[in-house]
Structure formats: structure tokens, C-alpha cells
Amino acid sequence: MQTSYENMTISAFLKELSSATPAPGGGVTALSGAMAASLVMMVCNLTISKEKFAEGEQEIEAILEEALKLRGKLMNAVDEDIQAYNAVIGCYRLPKGTQEENSQRKEYLQVALKRANEVPYRTAEVCHRVLELNRRLPHIGNPNAVSDVAVSAHLAEAALQSALYNVDINCNYIKDDTYVQYYRRKRNALSEQAVITREDVIETVRTALQS
Amino acid sequence: MQTSYENMTISAFLKELSSATPAPGGGVTALSGAMAASLVMMVCNLTISKEKFAEGEQEIEAILEEALKLRGKLMNAVDEDIQAYNAVIGCYRLPKGTQEENSQRKEYLQVALKRANEVPYRTAEVCHRVLELNRRLPHIGNPNAVSDVAVSAHLAEAALQSALYNVDINCNYIKDDTYVQYYRRKRNALSEQAVITREDVIETVRTALQS
């Protein structure tokens, strides 16, 4: 994809997404995470300035502020992902006629692949932070919006797991074994932690919905 | 939300989503499901007309066609959800001065709540169909896009579970016990089935990624 997603209409975005053009997966992941962050913000906005939730107001304001920052990071990640992807493609197109050209091409490609790997990993970390922000909302947020907390948690976890597939794919092409092992360990730990965090949030929401 | 989502920019959508205006949850759910359907279409489009995948071509074309229809249903569901939600709000605003007015208001409200309940349930069923379409793709689709199959499955399941929270909430206000029990049973069965389908798809993708 050529342009920044934010100014595309939803309809144009979906049309481009479904086409055979090799779009980096970053757009879908970032948008899912950004929707999750927006839902956190919505719950905060439905809570702030209401007398009966005054006790948690300061904490809610801090959550709102952080969710806005995280959403910004997720939307920026779309362009970072495109740049990193284009850099990898650029390396594949470098000349490989001489032995020197070939070895330099390989070297540049490995650097570009590592960079392309770190963008989705950081996105996954941002999504986990969005998940974490949801933990407190069923306790201090407007209870009328408690199901939106669960929706946010589902989406944030889906975005996180989606980002981590890009780590898997990039690691398949990276030759530095120490680096790959390090990222595979971190990736698996974050994936497992996200399932636990999402289940915790959902459980709290279910209890709140039934009470 | 007042307008159909499709013509909004992503940035405007996220801004409206995060505000305190009482937006029905339908927008997020439908968009997540529509992204999942679009990814199915993308995988199909990356597979069609390539000689080495010719064997599965007819099946891929059928999947592509169905995914397009399901995406249309999901985007229409946003407006159906808004209409159903506005109908419920309209009933709450009916006069309840006399006993007759009060009893008629209650009756209309119950009808509107059932309608509002059935929109997200149908959306969840559509999302499950998107999930099902993903089952075959790791076997007959372009293997370069196999991680997009997993991303689609994560998103479709998140959308499905999100839609089902609206069933929970609506059922809390519906007085017809037989109806409520029927929908709670169906809701739980669909939720459990979706987890199984998503896990099956992810497992197939993981195997493909490691081979």
C-alpha cells in the first residue's frame, strides 16, 4: 500500500486489502489495535466528569492519555511497516553480479530483515499495553460500557497475535541464530501472556455482566 | 453514529469511536469481520490464475465469491445495528403517562429489543462462516499468504465474540424467558465452536509455517 491509511475511507481500505497487491500485513494489525485503543478511550470518556465515578477519575484520565498515545504509535506503525517492507524489497533488487555485490546485498538484506522484524514486535508490545489498560476499566469505568472493555480485549489480542506472525515469517529469513532464538523466545512469551491477560479481562467483564 | 461507516476515513472513524457519543458496538465488530473477509479475498486473489495452484482454482473462486458476499453482509449490519439501536431508544422515549401508554411502550420495547438482539447474532454467524472459509486456504491457497489466513481467523473470531456480547446485553433486558434461554444456548454454542474453528485454522497455519 502506498499511502498512509488514516486518510483512506474504510471502503477504499477494504478494497485495497482484498486485492492481490502485496500489502504488508501491518495495516490490519494496526487498525485492529487502534480500534481496541479507541474503545479504551471511549470507556474513559463515558466515565469522566460523572459524579458517581469521581473516585477513579484521576486513574481514568491517565488511562485515556496513554490509550491516545498507544493509538498514535499503532497508526505510525503502518508507515514504519511499509518503509521496512520496502527496504527489504529494495535489498532483493540490489545487483548480485559480482561476488562483492552479492555479499554486500546479503549483508544489507539481513539488516533490513531485522528492522522489518522489529516493527511488528514493537506493535505487539503496544497491543499488549492496550490489553493491560483494559484490566482496570471493569472496576473503575462506567459499567454501561463494560462489554466494550471485552471487545477491546478481544481485538487487542487478535492484533497482537497477528503482529507476531510477521515476526515468525521474518525470523525464517534471518541467518543470525542468536537473534532468531532471542526473538522466538520473546514472541512466544508475549503470545502466551496476551492470552492470559485477555482471559483475565474477559472473566472480569463476564462477572460484571452477570451481577 | 449517524452515517454509514464505509465512506468515513479511518481517522474519522477512530475519532468518533473513542468519543463519549453512545455509538453502538456494531461498527467495530463489522469492520473487524470485514477485514477478516477481505484477507480471505486477498489470499484467493494471490492464488487465482497461478498455474501451480490450478488444481484448487474452482474452489478458490467459490471461496472468493462467498467472502465478498459475507463482507457485504457485515458492512450492511452496521446500518442495521444503528437502526435497531435507534428503534430501542425510540421506544424508551415513548410516553408512559397512562396505564395503556405504559403497557404499549413496554410491548414495543420488547419487540425492538428482540430485533436489536438478532442483528449481532446474525453478524456472529456471518463471522463464523468467514472463519470456516479460512479452513481450506492453508491447503489450496498461495503458501506465501498463509500467515494472512491466521490473521483472518484471529480477527473473525474476535469479531464473533464481540458481537455475542451484544446478545448478552440485550438478553438482560428481554422478558421472554423461553426466547432468552434459546439465544443464550445458541450464543454459548457458537462462541465455543468459534474457538475450536480458530484453533484448527491456526494449527494448520503453524504447521505450514514450520514446514
Side-chain angles (χ1 to χ4, degrees):
Chain A
M1 305 208 181
Q2 299 306 310
T3 57
S4 177
Y5 285 23
E6 288 181 83
N7 299 321
M8 287 178 93
T9 64
I10 285 173
S11 153
F13 170 72
L14 291 174
K15 198 175 162 191
E16 185 155 346
L17 182 61
S18 54
S19 75
T21 54
V28 171
T29 301
L31 185 51
S32 312
M35 289 200 288
S38 298
L39 285 168
V40 168
M41 292 169 69
M42 185 186 84
V43 178
C44 292
N45 283 322
L46 287 167
T47 307
I48 284 169
S49 302
K50 289 200 165 69
E51 206 175 329
K52 56 182 168 178
F53 311 126
E55 210 182 311
E57 178 126 342
Q58 256 190 321
E59 202 179 341
I60 286 283
E61 272 172 4
I63 293 172
L64 174 63
E65 200 181 315
E66 189 175 352
L68 177 65
K69 275 188 201 151
L70 296 172
R71 189 175 73 177
K73 281 188 189 174
L74 287 164
M75 294 314 286
N76 287 339
V78 180
D79 290 327
E80 284 170 42
D81 200 61
I82 293 171
Q83 282 159 17
Y85 176 83
N86 285 341
V88 172
I89 299 295
C91 289
Y92 276 116
R93 286 179 187 152
L94 286 175
K96 48 180 179 174
T98 69
Q99 202 174 355
E100 201 191 327
E101 279 174 346
N102 201 18
S103 112
Q104 191 149 65
R105 177 177 172 276
K106 276 185 183 163
E107 197 185 310
Y108 286 163
L109 182 62
Q110 288 299 311
V111 173
L113 281 168
K114 283 182 181 176
R115 196 181 140 220
N117 181 53
E118 285 151 29
V119 176
Y121 186 78
R122 278 199 305 272
T123 300
E125 284 182 319
V126 173
C127 291
H128 193 258
R129 192 60 207 143
V130 176
L131 256 178
E132 283 287 345
L133 289 184
N134 276 303
R135 271 188 192 277
R136 285 291 288 152
L137 294 181
H139 303 289
I140 56 171
N142 187 330
N144 290 335
V146 75
S147 72
D148 296 296
V149 178
V151 173
S152 173
H154 276 293
L155 271 181
E157 196 228 325
L160 180 149
Q161 304 292 357
S162 301
L164 293 179
Y165 288 107
N166 288 315
V167 174
D168 290 332
I169 293 170
N170 288 308
C171 282
N172 279 344
Y173 295 92
I174 295 170
K175 309 285 183 202
D176 178 344
D177 283 346
T178 313
Y179 177 97
V180 168
Q181 274 167 28
Y182 174 71
Y183 267 93
R184 286 208 199 277
R185 257 201 316 274
K186 291 217 300 182
R187 175 247 182 273
N188 289 338
L190 187 57
S191 171
E192 284 164 23
Q193 182 55 54
V195 173
I196 294 168
T197 312
R198 191 251 301 153
E199 281 175 354
D200 284 352
V201 173
I202 303 301
E203 191 52 39
T204 319
V205 171
R206 284 240 173 92
T207 310
L209 275 177
Q210 279 155 14
S211 67
Chain B
M1 306 209 182
Q2 299 305 312
T3 56
S4 178
Y5 285 22
E6 288 180 85
N7 299 320
M8 288 177 92
T9 64
I10 285 172
S11 153
F13 170 72
L14 292 174
K15 199 176 162 191
E16 185 156 345
L17 182 60
S18 55
S19 75
T21 54
V28 171
T29 301
L31 185 50
S32 313
M35 288 199 289
S38 298
L39 286 168
V40 168
M41 292 170 68
M42 185 186 84
V43 178
C44 292
N45 282 322
L46 286 167
T47 307
I48 285 170
S49 302
K50 289 200 164 68
E51 206 175 332
K52 56 184 167 176
F53 312 126
E55 209 182 314
E57 179 126 340
Q58 255 190 321
E59 202 180 344
I60 285 283
E61 273 175 0
I63 293 172
L64 174 62
E65 199 181 316
E66 187 175 353
L68 178 65
K69 276 189 198 151
L70 296 173
R71 188 175 73 177
K73 282 188 188 175
L74 287 164
M75 294 314 285
N76 287 338
V78 180
D79 289 328
E80 284 171 41
D81 199 61
I82 293 172
Q83 282 159 18
Y85 176 82
N86 285 341
V88 171
I89 299 295
C91 289
Y92 274 117
R93 286 178 186 152
L94 285 175
K96 50 179 178 174
T98 68
Q99 203 174 353
E100 202 192 324
E101 278 174 349
N102 201 18
S103 111
Q104 191 150 64
R105 177 178 172 275
K106 276 185 182 163
E107 198 185 310
Y108 287 162
L109 182 62
Q110 288 299 312
V111 172
L113 281 168
K114 283 183 181 176
R115 198 182 139 220
N117 182 53
E118 286 152 28
V119 175
Y121 186 78
R122 277 199 305 272
T123 299
E125 285 182 319
V126 173
C127 291
H128 193 256
R129 192 61 206 142
V130 175
L131 257 177
E132 284 287 343
L133 290 184
N134 275 304
R135 272 188 191 278
R136 286 290 288 152
L137 294 180
H139 304 287
I140 55 171
N142 188 328
N144 290 335
V146 75
S147 72
D148 296 296
V149 177
V151 173
S152 173
H154 275 293
L155 270 182
E157 197 229 327
L160 180 149
Q161 304 293 356
S162 301
L164 293 179
Y165 287 107
N166 288 314
V167 174
D168 291 332
I169 292 169
N170 288 308
C171 282
N172 278 344
Y173 295 94
I174 294 170
K175 307 289 183 199
D176 179 345
D177 283 347
T178 314
Y179 176 98
V180 168
Q181 274 168 30
Y182 174 72
Y183 266 94
R184 286 209 200 278
R185 259 201 314 274
K186 290 217 302 182
R187 176 246 181 272
N188 289 337
L190 188 56
S191 170
E192 285 164 23
Q193 181 55 53
V195 173
I196 294 168
T197 311
R198 191 251 303 154
E199 281 174 353
D200 284 354
V201 173
I202 304 302
E203 191 51 40
T204 319
V205 171
R206 284 241 174 90
T207 310
L209 275 177
Q210 277 155 14
S211 66

